[in-house]
Amino acid sequence: MSRSFLGWPAFPEAAAREVGNRQLRENVRRATHTIRGKRAVLAAERPDWEQLRDSAAAIKDRVLAGLEGYLLQVEEKVTAAGGTVHWARDAAEANRIVTDLVRATGEREIVKVKSMLTEEIGLDAALEAAGINARETDLAATIVQLGDDLPSHVVVPALHRNRSEIRDIFAREMGRHGRPAPEGLTDDPAELAEAARLHLREKFLGAKVAVSGANFVVAETGTLVVVESEGNGRMCLTLADTLISVVGIEKTVPRWQDLEVLLQLLARNATGERMAPYTSTWTGTVDGDGPRDFHLVLVDNGRTRALADPVGRQALRCIRCGACMNTCPVYERTGGHAYGSVYPGPIGAILNPLLRGLDDPQTASLPYASTLCGACNEVCPVRIRFTDVLLDLRAQVADGGRHPVERVALNTVGAAMQRPLLWKAAVKGAGLLGPLLPARTPVPGWTDNRALPDVPGESFRTWWKRNEGERA
Amino acid sequence: MTAAAREEILRRIRAAAVPPAPEPPRHYLRHAPGTDPDDRPGTLALFAERLAEYGARVLRATDPGPAVARALHEEGARSLVVPDGLPADWTADWDGEVRADRPPLGKAELDATDAVLTSCAAAVADSGTLVLDGGPAQGRRAVTLLPDLHVCVVRAEQVHSALSGALAVLDPARPLTFVSGPSATADIEMIRVKGVHGPRRLVVVLLEAPSG
């Protein structure tokens, strides 16, 4: 049974567990710093980088502002090109549609192109429950699947694993799912990639049904776009008889020309390349080339909930480049699993609460999984203002009464600050009482991971008066 | 049921009441940064340089036959699949086995063929990219995917400075494959490994008109 993030603990608990794993911290640090370095070089190469970001943000805002019209256009164009369009309100509905489509073909094993959305909706587990074995084909997704693990990054899902862990997983698991790993497999990355090539080649050649996501869907032409590096995407999109693409409604872009902006930003930001090795585009079906049947499943699953949030809706601009997590000091220390979702890091800290609501303690904890340093704002190719959204979500958490103590405390401080005499008395009182407090006064939720600062004996106002007096 | 879902999703979108957004600005470059888009020799040199950076081989030629034969020999290919519409003189100098994709070869046959030779629909200097659109001399997508060596003949005039130029001439109704170097992965400790599932070796024959 494949693992899932269902019932995952809130961020502070999950993070506390993860930061204790030294190997994980080293793996994540090495990987994120490598991608950051490559990205920085290629972003700096473009003197028009800021103009590209302006354009990308505006293109995605345009999509969100006209989403109904663009989706209808997608439906019309894909249908005219020989495809079938399905609509799914939530994960269960999307999974049911895909399961029924696969069942209709009679196939028991299918191949998949890495897709965050199918991870989000738990498609592999739903298919498994229906007796259908969905094999992941991206190298990192294969590592995660064979290791009965969970993804920890949107671009490099097995970023938390190092080569010797991967070697052990391949040697142990490949034989149970098809062609075994070669005898005497070492932990050389080239040998590991070769083992994956051999293991998956027989699956590609035999597969009748493939499932993919899409990076973009062009409304004016009905064209789907998949960006990848290894060629596993091309194998799935080309060799199967039936292709089912499961796509979030926010993946739409209005015009074909928009790809000149988004493709250039995506590769540079995601992997530090000018273009990823392979970008495949297709519009419906083509006689004698590729799948005979094409199904597009358009999925909401909380996206319209996010769309209704005036501050938060900008998170739907996201093109899943992963740059925010590569640059995040919190992600670097906790890794991706602490976020309890297939979307970790800064984008996860805002997207999960927006998609799922703040009603459960896990999603409500995520807007606090940030130091508000704003590094993510700086690297985001579509100019998501992460810190604005984080603060707004924290306000929603507080207004919802989920942090009652903090709320009472802030209300009290606010009331005192509006009354100067009361405020002065309170500050003076604190100065007098401060030294009487024991050195390690516990404040629940605050002093678990840090020390309470000393209360100064003199207020700032008093200090200012004294020093200003000396200068004058 | 999907009809009810469709109505419900569209209703939720309307209820979200997103305010209108302006037409996006497009003040970015339409050519490779740091180059003069009208400098043709410079554009071709950049194309060759970017391909080489990815680990693709580049042969510059005025006569395709000898260059194709040389590429196939040096890469050790013994069998070659060719799509419909490929000019006969491209394979005239090669003595290995040529398999026409007519009637269409099976997946296993393609997988057992050493190399594929094609033209392309467009190319991009800035990113060292070839674009295949399934047109004449390019073949269906499986043909350029299963053999381990892809030899692609690119005519000099097909090379655009940047992606914008190529997208403007491509037809989105056709299935397009943008190839920027051989198959690669960096999924293991961010170490780049050339070649996972797609062709592991890519040779580009850049064809220029004979001078004079």
Side-chain angles (χ1 to χ4, degrees), chain A residues 309-337:
Chain A
D309 185 312
V311 180
R313 68 170 62 110
Q314 59 185 303
L316 296 176
R317 290 181 194 156
C318 176
I319 59 172
R320 313 278 188 265
C321 72
C324 61
M325 53 204 77
N326 298 335
T327 200
C328 177
V330 176
Y331 178 91
E332 184 179 325
R333 283 155 186 86
T334 65
H337 292 158

Side-chain angles (χ1 to χ4, degrees), chain A residues 185-249:
Chain A
L185 180 69
T186 74
D187 64 3
D188 173 32
E191 252 188 66
L192 295 170
E194 174 69 12
R197 176 185 174 95
L198 296 171
H199 178 74
L200 288 168
R201 182 62 63 131
E202 64 178 27
K203 298 203 182 293
F204 289 132
L205 294 177
K208 299 276 191 291
V209 181
V211 169
S212 84
N215 293 88
F216 309 103
V217 181
V218 181
E220 71 173 351
T221 57
T223 307
L224 277 83
V225 182
V226 163
V227 178
E228 50 129 1
S229 297
E230 298 168 11
N232 63 304
R234 291 177 67 190
M235 292 280 176
C236 294
L237 302 174
T238 306
L239 298 181
D241 297 330
T242 300
L243 172 62
I244 305 165
S245 299
V246 191
V247 182
I249 53 175

